[in-house]
């Protein structure tokens, strides 16, 4: 009887050990995946905050080329929520793009190198700079020009149907949210020509979505390969 009891205990311990061993890799995969998402989300959030600060400076202080302390202070004090909202949106968009690609079973392989991503960011900043600095005869010409530049950015650095569709949808949602914020008096635009906002704002949103989607895809590619891609 005692021998059978010992044998039963040994079998129970061996089964529990096998269950723990079988669960181990699964838990480690989940942990690695969660850590990967957190790291990529933090990086995307940081990029979004940085771009928001730079582009807000271009929009608000269009005649200033330096960064004096009073300008930086005014950005943080009067519109502190703008970088946080932009950083959160950038993280969500950057994580959503590779997730949609994997769901559709269509991995995005067009121009998947960091040099292309950096050029995409530079073009996006240039589009924002054009909206603040270039003078057009009317807002219709400016809006059409920025729309062409934004679609050209998508064609040059993305060319995916999922990227274009997500860009349109998120640009529409961003425009709607901005309309509501301006309507409730959170902030305002000078010389609005599209209800409460400027007509070129959806183009800026679309270009920003494409840019952050490219960054998110590149970060996901680096994390999957497990190697660092040189610039």
């Amino acid at each position: 009887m005692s021998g059978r009891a010992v044998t039963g205990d040994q079998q129970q311990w061996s089964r529990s050990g096998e269950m723990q061993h079988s669960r181990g890799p699964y838990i480690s995969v989940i942990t690695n995946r969660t850590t990967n998402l957190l790291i990529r989300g933090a990086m995307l959030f940081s990029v979004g905050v940085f771009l928001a600060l730079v582009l807000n400076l271009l929009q608000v202080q269009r005649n200033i080329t330096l960064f004096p302390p009073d300008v930086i202070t005014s950005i943080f004090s009067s519109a502190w929520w703008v970088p946080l909202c932009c950083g959160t949106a950038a993280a969500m968009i950057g994580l959503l793009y590779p997730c949609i690609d994997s769901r559709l079973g269509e991995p995005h392989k067009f121009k998947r190198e960091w040099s292309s991503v950096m050029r995409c960011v530079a073009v996006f900043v240039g589009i924002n700079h054009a909206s603040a600095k270039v003078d057009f005869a009317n807002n219709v010409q400016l809006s059409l020009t920025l729309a062409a530049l934004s679609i050209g950015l998508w064609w040059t650095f993305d060319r995916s149907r999922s990227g274009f569709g997500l860009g349109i949808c998120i640009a529409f949602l961003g425009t709607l949210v901005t309309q509501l914020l301006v309507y409730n008096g959170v902030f305002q635009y000078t010389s609005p020509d599209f209800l409460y906002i400027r007509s070129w704002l959806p183009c800026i949103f679309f270009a920003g979505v494409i840019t952050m989607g490219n960054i998110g895809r590149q970060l996901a590619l680096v994390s999957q390969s497990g190697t660092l891609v040189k610039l």
Side-chain angles (χ1 to χ4, degrees), residues 108 112 117 120 157-158 209-218:
H108 190 264
R112 289 271 59 88
V117 174
C120 181
F157 301 103
D158 192 314
V209 171
I210 298 301
T211 302
M212 296 311 305
N214 269 337
I215 298 175
R217 281 168 167 167
Q218 188 65 31

Side-chain angles (χ1 to χ4, degrees), residues 44-82:
L44 291 165
F45 179 83
S46 301
V47 173
V49 169
F50 175 75
L51 289 177
L53 291 175
V54 174
L55 301 180
N56 189 47
L57 185 65
L58 291 175
Q59 295 292 333
V60 177
Q61 303 290 342
R62 55 175 298 179
N63 295 323
I64 297 178
T65 56
L66 300 177
F67 294 90
D70 56 338
V71 173
I72 301 298
T73 303
S74 65
I75 292 176
F76 279 104
S77 60
S78 62
W80 58 269
W81 51 272
V82 173

Side-chain angles (χ1 to χ4, degrees), residues 159-173:
R159 295 190 186 183
S160 65
R161 290 175 294 179
S162 60
F164 187 83
L166 283 174
I168 293 293
C169 294
I170 298 175
F172 174 78
L173 292 176

Side-chain angles (χ1 to χ4, degrees), residues 83-95:
L84 296 180
C85 293
C86 292
T88 303
M92 294 176 63
I93 293 169
L95 295 176

Side-chain angles (χ1 to χ4, degrees), residues 97-177:
Y97 262 70
C99 179
I100 294 297
D101 292 338
S102 62
R103 292 292 182 181
L104 296 177
E106 300 176 355
H108 190 264
K109 298 180 180 180
F110 180 71
K111 290 188 177 182
R112 289 271 59 88
E113 61 272 350
W114 279 112
S115 59
S116 177
V117 174
M118 293 299 102
R119 288 194 296 268
C120 181
V121 174
V123 173
F124 171 58
V125 174
I127 292 175
N128 279 269
H129 188 72
S131 67
K133 296 285 290 184
V134 179
D135 294 326
F136 285 82
N138 52 60
N139 288 327
V140 176
Q141 292 183 0
L142 176 60
S143 300
L144 292 177
T145 302
L146 293 182
L149 291 174
S150 300
I151 295 176
L153 182 143
W154 166 79
W155 180 257
T156 304
F157 301 103
D158 192 314
R159 295 190 186 183
S160 65
R161 290 175 294 179
S162 60
F164 187 83
L166 283 174
I168 293 293
C169 294
I170 298 175
F172 174 78
L173 292 176
T175 303
L176 179 61
V177 171

